[in-house]
Amino acid sequence: MSKKIPVACAALGLLTLALSSAFAQAGSVTGASLPDVSISSTVDTVQSNVPVTFGQAFAVGDVPAGASLAGQLSSGAGISLQVDVKARHADGSVRHAIISTVLPQLSKSAPQSLQLKLAPLAPPASQVAKPADLLNAGFNGSVNITIAGKLYTASIEQALRSGKVQDWLSGSQTGEWLVSAPLYDSTGLTHPHLHARFAIRSYTGYGKARVDVTIENDWAYQPAPQNFTYDAEVVIGGQSVFSQANLTHFHHTRWRKTFWWGGAPQTHIAHNKAYLIASKAVPNYDQRIAISETALNNMKNLMSGVKFQPMGPGLAEPGMPTTGGRPDIGLMPGWSAAYLLSMDKRAKDATLATADLAGSWSAHYRDQKTDKPISLHDYPYMTILGTPGDTYNPATRQREAFPVCGGTCTNPNIADAAHTPAFSYLPYLVTGDYYHLEEMQFWAMWDVFQTNPGYRANIQGLVYQSNVRVQAWDIRNLAETAYITPDNDVLKAEFTRILSNNLDYYNTTYSNNAAANIFGAITGPGAIVYNSNIGIAPWMDDFFTSAAGRAAELGFSKAQPLLSWKARFPVNRMLAPDYCWIFGGIYSLNLRANATAPLYTTFGQAYEASRNPVVAGMACNSPEMAKALGLKVGEMTGYSSIATGYPSNMQPALAYAADSGFTGGAAAWQKFMQRSVLPDYTAWPEFAIVPRTVVTPQR
């Protein structure tokens, strides 16, 4: 499943000479050198032969087609890298790769900087790591599940010997193999619902392997899905490395644990955040923000509780439909944004552990035929809603409704598309772990099929019939999943197609429609539902604008006209002469006089129909208005001081609007940032996004 670029070790001088002759361009399209990563030891003892693997995103053109990468350590010494390319940009340059090496030595007092450099493409390795090499070195392991006194076992070595193994990493230094394994009882019968999956990463010649274990209860069309309670044990190298009694495994969920055979490296890998942000693989979070020690320690302390055990929610809200501001909600959840901005181990551990637990919600449906997350292409009428008749596929003459529950199917973790965090995008970006990739795919597909087939136009996967924040997070998930899914994964084209269908709908309905509303607001089904169906929620619409901006910066060209059209809504709430910007973050905005009336034609009409009546006749942002509202002069309504307040919700939309080129975008941003009361983003910075093309005032 990987595209491999092997790299031979070379002396730095020879490497520089080779680069100068092989590549006419120097530096990178981001205007800086290629990124480095910092690798530090988390123990006091000196470690030798330290295995290192991480994911790395690259900007368009930075690693051109036909180029490879070499590494340079802090000492100036070169080090050989194995580079498994997973995705490429349209010009053939590398978009995302998984990089592996083994550090000769690492001590706590001397962290290593691994600088990535362009190198000529080397010929394929004559030998690559194979499962047999690891097995011959004595590796073994198993998973044991005991249900009502009956033992089921999945052997890792038998799975590796089965021949049904997919290469995830492939090279002379590192091999990683993906394999699924049924759970067998003593008679050789398999459990109908529970099954194990392993990702085994071996470092050639070092007697070390990472063992990634996932237990799933997620077959899409297996009859009688239900919860199962069992005692679980994982055995690696003859040692019990994990056990939990009375574990209730909810239907259509999965849980994951990772272990090491041969000794675990004790390291922390910190990426170059400035490069990640400049590459546009992640949003432009404000790098001036310093995440507080209190927030980082809180994340570390929270990880010791039951919420981080299998089937727990981690840092996420287990009941996603719960209302109110919280760090789950945003283009990234607060914990991921805090990790991105700090590159602190505490935030990284909490982010990765919460992403591991993204499997705890009943939103995971795996196709037994393909062994992949289920696809709308294969089952265009599948759904978890509606009547059986809604799921009839006229082409196959089959109903595609998922089987009804065959026992207990309650789950305290309640999934909701209106509040779904982006659990796994950043974790996959920085680790390259296949588990996180599949989590993205499971959730993005669930976003589509959790609606009625007719509402989504069946195979087209349209999401416009949902409420606006659902549409926003669906577009975010579809865009990021389509962007980062490996090029040779069959689901990449599927997610790209569904995203394209949705962008076509929005451009036809809004961006390219002269009759569309003058506000730049989403006004379709599920939008004008406030105040007896006369108003919309601007904060939801801001979520959608930021999602459109996210899709545009990831390179989906159809998102650009949508963003340009949407930009007028946040911009004019700051600049329209007949709309007072103090109410830019208003909770609801009335767009018509009654439920059957046409939409207003000016921002002034919407403002007069929506503003607090106590400010009637008052000049915008006057001392009189501030006093009437109980605010400071220059303070916006909607909890301006809070990191999850409505002005904070507005910030990413305004940032993307400023970058869109829409007239007034830069001025609106400057005005927004000069307000008198700003939020404190030092704990949860999920909305702390700033423009890439406009200078943000220093406060």
Side-chain angles (χ1 to χ4, degrees):
M1 295 184 66
S2 62
K3 296 178 180 178
K4 162 76 175 43
I5 299 181
V7 179
C9 183
L12 185 58
L14 293 176
L15 174 61
T16 303
L17 179 63
L19 285 175
S20 63
S21 61
F23 301 103
Q25 65 180 41
S28 70
V29 264
T30 57
S33 62
L34 287 174
D36 61 340
V37 296
S38 174
I39 306 162
S40 54
S41 174
T42 59
V43 294
D44 293 329
T45 56
V46 176
Q47 301 179 71
S48 300
N49 299 325
V50 183
V52 172
T53 295
F54 58 92
Q56 179 65 54
F58 295 95
V60 176
D62 276 8
V63 184
S68 185
L69 293 168
Q72 181 181 336
L73 297 176
S74 306
S75 64
I79 188 169
S80 61
L81 306 178
Q82 178 178 310
V83 183
D84 289 87
V85 176
K86 293 300 176 182
R88 293 184 179 275
H89 295 290
D91 66 352
S93 63
V94 177
R95 172 180 292 175
H96 186 237
I98 303 173
I99 299 169
S100 301
T101 191
V102 176
L103 300 178
Q105 195 171 78
L106 186 65
S107 67
K108 198 167 187 179
S109 61
Q112 287 282 2
S113 172
L114 174 60
Q115 176 68 54
L116 302 179
K117 292 181 173 292
L118 287 178
L121 188 65
S126 57
Q127 292 185 327
V128 296
K130 296 292 185 184
D133 301 330
L134 181 62
L135 295 173
N136 291 338
F139 171 80
N140 61 81
S142 64
V143 170
N144 303 312
I145 301 294
T146 304
I147 304 177
K150 187 174 185 178
L151 177 64
Y152 290 85
T153 297
S155 165
I156 302 177
E157 56 264 41
Q158 288 181 9
L160 288 175
R161 294 185 193 278
S162 69
K164 299 178 181 179
V165 176
Q166 289 180 294
D167 288 337
W168 180 241
L169 304 180
S170 181
S172 59
Q173 295 192 53
T174 309
E176 183 168 335
W177 309 290
L178 309 176
V179 61
S180 60
L183 286 155
Y184 291 97
D185 68 10
S186 59
T187 68
L189 295 178
T190 62
H191 194 281
H193 292 277
L194 299 174
H195 54 109
R197 313 186 80 79
F198 306 111
I200 312 300
R201 180 184 300 164
S202 175
Y203 293 84
T204 305
Y206 293 101
K208 294 181 183 291
R210 193 186 76 154
V211 185
D212 187 332
V213 177
T214 303
I215 307 301
E216 299 194 349
N217 178 18
D218 61 1
W219 293 128
Y221 285 104
Q222 183 67 23
Q226 59 191 278
N227 300 348
F228 294 94
T229 299
Y230 53 76
D231 297 340
E233 181 186 36
V234 179
V235 178
I236 304 295
Q239 301 293 317
S240 180
V241 294
F242 171 79
S243 64
Q244 184 168 330
N246 296 315
L247 194 167
T248 297
H249 193 151
F250 307 122
H251 72 100
H252 297 105
T253 63
R254 59 187 196 152
W255 60 266
R256 178 203 195 201
K257 290 286 184 181
T258 57
F259 313 94
W260 280 83
W261 176 78
Q266 304 297 316
T267 60
H268 169 56
I269 301 173
H271 285 68
N272 184 319
K273 67 180 179 184
Y275 181 87
L276 284 180
I277 290 172
S279 76
K280 299 185 179 180
V282 295
N284 190 33
Y285 280 94
D286 191 344
Q287 296 177 59
R288 299 172 303 177
I289 294 171
I291 305 302
S292 73
E293 280 294 307
T294 299
L296 294 170
N297 283 328
N298 284 343
M299 280 187 262
K300 178 180 179 180
N301 294 336
L302 286 170
M303 289 184 62
S304 61
V306 296
K307 288 186 175 182
F308 281 84
Q309 294 177 0
M311 297 288 101
L315 293 179
E317 170 60 49
M320 288 184 187
T322 303
T323 57
R326 58 179 192 262
D328 309 50
I329 299 168
L331 291 179
M332 277 187 187
W335 53 85
S336 292
Y339 158 51
L340 174 66
L341 289 176
S342 68
M343 283 295 147
D344 187 273
K345 184 178 187 299
R346 292 161 291 183
K348 183 176 186 178
D349 289 347
T351 296
L352 297 186
T354 299
D356 284 351
L357 293 164
S360 300
W361 283 263
S362 297
H364 299 73
Y365 290 75
R366 187 181 293 279
D367 189 347
Q368 287 165 286
K369 295 180 180 179
T370 64
D371 204 37
K372 302 273 293 176
I374 202 157
S375 164
L376 198 64
H377 176 271
D378 297 328
Y379 302 94
Y381 292 83
M382 64 180 175
T383 187
I384 55 177
L385 297 176
T387 65
D390 295 333
T391 71
Y392 180 75
N393 185 333
T396 63
R397 298 183 181 180
Q398 300 292 321
R399 298 192 190 278
E400 294 177 354
F402 296 124
V404 298
C405 178
T408 301
C409 287
T410 56
N411 186 345
N413 305 311
I414 303 170
D416 177 36
H419 301 87
T420 306
F423 283 112
S424 300
Y425 174 77
L426 184 61
Y428 175 65
L429 198 75
V430 299
T431 67
D433 285 357
Y434 189 75
Y435 177 89
H436 296 312
L437 169 65
E438 283 206 317
E439 277 302 312
M440 294 179 62
Q441 295 174 340
F442 275 124
W443 280 100
M445 198 62 72
W446 180 84
D447 285 337
V448 176
F449 74 67
Q450 55 93 28
T451 59
N452 184 285
Y455 290 172
R456 66 167 185 258
N458 304 313
I459 200 169
Q460 291 188 49
L462 303 183
V463 301
Y464 74 94
Q465 299 250 25
S466 304
N467 77 47
V468 177
R469 60 185 162 184
V470 171
Q471 297 175 55
W473 306 140
D474 287 358
I475 294 299
R476 173 202 64 192
N477 287 350
L478 287 168
E480 291 185 338
T481 305
Y483 174 83
I484 206 65
T485 289
D487 294 340
N488 59 0
D489 189 317
V490 295
L491 289 179
K492 189 181 189 75
E494 174 77 340
F495 289 114
T496 302
R497 177 187 67 81
I498 296 172
L499 176 64
S500 180
N501 290 343
N502 278 280
L503 294 176
D504 283 341
Y505 167 83
Y506 291 117
N507 284 324
T508 299
T509 305
Y510 299 106
S511 322
N512 302 326
N513 181 5
N517 69 81
I518 63 96
F519 300 100
I522 300 297
T523 54
I528 310 179
V529 296
Y530 281 74
N531 307 328
S532 301
N533 298 320
I534 65 171
I536 65 170
W539 48 279
M540 283 195 200
D541 199 274
D542 289 337
F543 292 162
F544 185 94
T545 302
S546 65
R550 182 80 181 110
E553 77 177 346
L554 290 176
F556 296 101
S557 59
K558 291 181 180 180
Q560 190 58 55
L562 175 60
L563 173 61
S564 297
W565 186 84
K566 288 295 293 104
R568 67 186 67 191
F569 191 45
V571 167
N572 280 301
R573 279 149 52 210
M574 295 303 298
L575 296 183
D578 52 358
Y579 187 100
C580 180
W581 65 271
I582 293 296
F583 292 89
I586 196 169
Y587 176 76
S588 62
L589 185 69
N590 296 331
L591 296 186
R592 58 191 178 193
N594 58 64
T596 59
L599 298 183
Y600 294 134
T601 57
T602 69
F603 273 85
Q605 290 173 305
Y607 171 67
E608 289 299 327
S610 310
R611 58 157 175 76
N612 191 321
V614 302
V615 303
M618 296 180 183
C620 181
N621 194 32
S622 63
E624 181 187 19
M625 176 179 280
K627 182 178 180 181
L629 294 172
L631 304 174
K632 296 179 179 179
V633 174
E635 180 181 359
M636 295 177 71
T637 63
Y639 313 104
S640 189
S641 65
I642 299 176
T644 55
Y646 299 121
S648 298
N649 297 163
M650 188 181 185
Q651 180 167 331
L654 263 178
Y656 283 111
D659 283 338
S660 73
F662 181 78
T663 301
W669 176 257
Q670 297 290 341
K671 191 172 189 176
F672 179 75
M673 291 306 298
Q674 289 168 357
R675 63 200 193 279
S676 62
V677 177
L678 301 177
D680 179 2
Y681 284 133
T682 59
W684 299 120
E686 61 267 29
F687 295 113
I689 294 172
V690 297
R692 296 181 184 274
T693 58
V694 178
V695 175
T696 299
Q698 186 74 44
R699 294 297 299 271

